[in-house]
């Protein structure tokens, strides 16, 4: 699959009609895609530039672009819920996922976050993904292979509990991301495999989970004071005097928790709050 340039055979293309309905096809020479507005020949798209319009056999017009990763994530088959793009972006930036990093992830879910991480660490980095359920792992493997155009050489995917991870089995890792039901149960594992200065992030949906993770991090004493937040995204409708916020928005999906590993034997200064007057 090409990521830029004229369309080639094997590219996954998103067709958009005048009503902003989307249709996805994988370009195959000699094949056709049929809509309620007639036939669209793949050969009419292959070789054309992105952002062009293809016409169906009965005059329907469709705008053609390659699928972005965000499009693939939102439309992928899934067993477990995916980490949505607004939160994935926060994880990549706040977690400082850099080219060449080794990232430990649990669980793999449907493979959405694994795909973002693999893109971010690049060919010289590595992503180690644990998943306890075989059915979820099957979705993750299928989706990641589809997105990456095959089996990524830098993806180490494992069926099992991340509690089993040790420095002997995964080595030292630069970043840890937990998206699981009870992440407070594996904090000692995170402590043991994460390098000093490494970033630890957790994705949890409920307030009780948030509280237990935050308190667990504090009690362990080997991390900085944890931070917690959520991301809210609201689109706007911009049409002259009708400019206003959209009635629907991407509100709460989960809480993000962030902390950094301290050096062995170090106790961080206790956070002090301002005295009330």
């Amino acid at each position: 699959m090409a990521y830029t340039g004229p369309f080639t055979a094997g590219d996954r293309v998103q067709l958009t009609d005048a009503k902003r309905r989307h249709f996805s096809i994988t370009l195959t020479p000699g094949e056709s895609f049929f809509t309620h507005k007639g036939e669209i020949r793949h050969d009419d798209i292959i070789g054309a530039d992105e952002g062009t319009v293809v016409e169906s056999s009965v005059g329907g017009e469709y705008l053609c672009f390659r699928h972005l990763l965000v499009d693939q994530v939102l439309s992928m088959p899934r067993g477990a819920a995916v980490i949505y793009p607004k939160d994935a972006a926060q994880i990549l930036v706040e977690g400082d996922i850099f080219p060449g990093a080794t990232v430990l992830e649990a669980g793999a879910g449907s493979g959405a976050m694994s795909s973002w991480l693999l893109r971010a660490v690049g060919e010289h980095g590595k992503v180690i993904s644990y998943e306890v359920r075989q059915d979820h792992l099957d979705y993750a493997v299928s989706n990641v292979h589809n997105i990456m155009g095959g089996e990524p050489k830098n993806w180490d995917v494992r069926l099992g509990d991340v509690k089993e991870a040790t420095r002997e089995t995964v080595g030292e890792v630069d970043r840890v991301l937990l998206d699981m039901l009870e992440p407070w149960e594996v904090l000692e594992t995170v402590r043991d495999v994460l390098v000093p200065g490494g970033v630890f992030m957790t994705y949890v949906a409920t307030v009780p989970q948030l509280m237990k993770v935050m308190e667990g991090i504090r009690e362990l004493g080997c991390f900085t004071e944890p931070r917690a937040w959520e991301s809210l995204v609201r689109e706007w409708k911009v049409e002259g005097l009708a400019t206003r916020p959209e009635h629907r928005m991407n509100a709460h999906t989960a809480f993000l928790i962030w902390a950094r590993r301290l050096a062995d034997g170090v106790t961080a200064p206790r956070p002090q709050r301002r005295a009330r007057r």
Side-chain angles (χ1 to χ4, degrees):
M1 295 186 301
Y3 289 104
T4 188
F7 291 116
T8 61
D11 285 347
R12 191 173 181 186
V13 177
Q14 182 169 274
L15 308 175
T16 306
D17 68 10
K19 292 185 177 180
R20 299 174 66 182
R21 290 176 294 198
H22 301 308
F23 307 89
S24 296
I25 62 173
T26 300
L27 295 178
T28 306
E31 293 291 322
S32 294
F33 176 70
F34 294 89
T35 75
H36 65 291
K37 289 192 175 181
E39 177 188 14
I40 298 172
R41 298 173 61 245
H42 290 207
D43 290 339
D44 292 341
I45 302 174
I46 295 173
D49 287 325
E50 283 196 79
T52 56
V53 173
V54 64
E55 189 171 308
S56 70
S57 58
V58 294
E61 292 185 328
Y62 295 84
L63 189 60
C64 303
F65 282 102
R66 283 187 179 88
H67 253 214
L68 300 177
L69 181 51
V70 65
D71 300 317
Q72 293 173 280
V73 163
L74 293 177
S75 63
M76 64 170 48
R78 59 186 71 168
V82 300
I83 293 180
Y84 279 85
K86 70 182 183 71
D87 297 317
Q90 292 276 304
I91 291 167
L92 295 177
V93 173
E94 293 280 356
D96 192 38
I97 310 299
F98 60 90
T102 298
V103 181
L104 175 63
E105 172 199 26
S110 294
M113 196 65 226
S114 303
S115 301
W116 295 113
L117 293 172
L118 286 164
R119 276 271 190 96
V121 302
E123 62 180 2
H124 300 298
K126 183 178 183 181
V127 177
I128 305 166
S129 301
Y130 276 83
E131 176 55 56
V132 296
R133 289 182 52 168
Q134 182 67 62
D135 56 338
H136 288 177
L137 190 66
D138 291 341
Y139 276 107
V141 170
S142 176
N143 287 329
V144 170
H145 288 189
N146 183 44
I147 288 170
M148 306 301 290
E151 182 179 352
K153 295 180 180 179
N154 59 341
W155 191 35
D156 181 356
V157 58
R158 306 183 183 191
L159 177 64
D161 195 325
V162 73
K163 289 180 184 178
E164 302 166 1
T166 64
R167 287 207 177 189
E168 288 70 33
T169 59
V170 300
E172 286 189 328
V173 302
D174 302 297
R175 305 288 186 260
V176 175
L177 170 63
L178 300 181
D179 175 17
M180 52 191 295
L181 186 61
E182 298 176 331
W184 53 87
E185 292 190 350
V186 297
L187 295 179
E188 292 185 0
T189 299
V190 175
R191 175 198 62 195
D192 294 341
V193 301
L194 188 60
V195 299
V199 178
F200 166 42
M201 293 194 69
T202 310
Y203 181 87
V204 293
T206 69
V207 170
Q209 288 175 304
L210 170 67
M211 295 169 62
K212 293 193 74 168
V213 174
M214 293 282 283
E215 290 308 312
I217 290 173
R218 289 170 177 149
E219 289 174 9
L220 210 53
C222 60
F223 294 99
T224 58
E225 175 65 14
R227 294 169 44 223
W229 73 96
E230 62 179 337
S231 63
L232 310 176
V233 175
R234 181 173 66 178
E235 293 193 11
W236 279 64
K237 179 180 180 180
V238 183
E239 295 179 0
L241 295 178
T243 297
R244 56 170 176 74
E246 290 284 4
H247 295 307
R248 300 177 64 184
M249 67 178 290
N250 294 320
H252 176 77
T253 48
F255 299 104
L256 293 168
I257 304 167
W258 178 100
R260 296 190 72 176
R261 173 76 155 82
L262 300 173
D264 291 337
V266 171
T267 301
R270 187 174 181 178
Q272 295 184 359
R273 296 178 175 85
R274 291 183 179 179
R276 293 184 178 179
R277 293 182 178 179

